[in-house]
Amino acid sequence: MYKDLLDEIQSLVIDERNFVVNASNFVAHLFSKMPDVSWIGFYLLSEDSLLIGPYQGKPACVRLHKNKGVCWASVNKREVVNVDNVHEFPTHVVCDAEANSEIVIPLIKNGLIYGVLDLDSHSLARFTHDDALNLRKLVDLLVNASDMYAIGKFYGKAY
Ligand code: SME
């Protein structure tokens, strides 16, 4: 599945530099192709919060306050955070009471972090090490194709 997804995402972002445009198609495509994913979307750093960006799924928390939850853990570690059971993650921020597992991938370009990609599932332990590796590759494709400087400036912070 991921080999096709990498090719498809590459062709979706190749001619465009605007991050919001590319990110919108990115989440729409992954949401239509990935089984057992209840929500997928971006949170972008803005001052001391993560603000919701393009997403697919039910409406979700719009602002994640600093240092709470899985998304902020990924920002602070600058690493993929894969949580098999969100109810066991101490500061987990509940946006959908039915979500049971979650994976978060940081958006990093040239050493700066701009936000995260967040995926939720109603299943426990939905995301594997292979998902983590390949989602990271997909996110790298997206940030490398997009003008991250412009989106960082628009949202207010990249660090
Ligand atoms: N659960 C996330 C918040 C975002 S929602 O899952 C869409 C967190 O703990 O950061």
Side-chain angles (χ1 to χ4, degrees), residues 39-41 43 50 52 55 58-61 64-65 68-73 86 89 91-96 99 101-102 104 116 118-120:
W39 196 90
I40 174 169
Y43 281 97
L50 283 165
I52 202 163
Y55 70 93
K58 289 185 186 166
C61 314
L64 304 175
H65 297 289
K68 290 207 177 86
V70 187
C71 292
W72 269 102
V86 292
F89 193 94
T91 61
H92 172 244
V93 179
V94 180
C95 299
D96 171 5
S101 62
E102 177 165 8
V104 180
V116 296
D118 181 22
L119 292 91
D120 289 336

Side-chain angles (χ1 to χ4, degrees), residues 60-111:
C61 314
V62 293
R63 184 181 289 271
L64 304 175
H65 297 289
K66 196 169 186 179
N67 298 339
K68 290 207 177 86
V70 187
C71 292
W72 269 102
S74 176
V75 169
N76 290 334
K77 290 182 183 163
R78 293 178 169 234
E79 281 171 12
V80 175
V81 176
N82 188 4
V83 181
D84 285 344
N85 181 350
V86 292
H87 310 290
E88 291 174 354
F89 193 94
T91 61
H92 172 244
V93 179
V94 180
C95 299
D96 171 5
E98 287 182 280
N100 281 313
S101 62
E102 177 165 8
I103 189 167
V104 180
I105 299 94
L107 309 180
I108 296 171
K109 184 173 181 179
N110 298 330

Side-chain angles (χ1 to χ4, degrees), residues 90-143:
T91 61
H92 172 244
V93 179
V94 180
C95 299
D96 171 5
E98 287 182 280
N100 281 313
S101 62
E102 177 165 8
I103 189 167
V104 180
I105 299 94
L107 309 180
I108 296 171
K109 184 173 181 179
N110 298 330
L112 290 176
I113 180 159
Y114 293 88
V116 296
L117 174 70
D118 181 22
L119 292 91
D120 289 336
S121 174
H122 291 174
S123 298
L124 286 164
R126 157 65 181 83
F127 303 103
T128 62
H129 185 61
D130 188 53
D131 288 313
L133 290 177
N134 283 291
L135 287 166
R136 176 113 220 195
K137 284 186 195 166
L138 287 163
V139 161
D140 285 347
L141 258 182
L142 171 70
V143 297

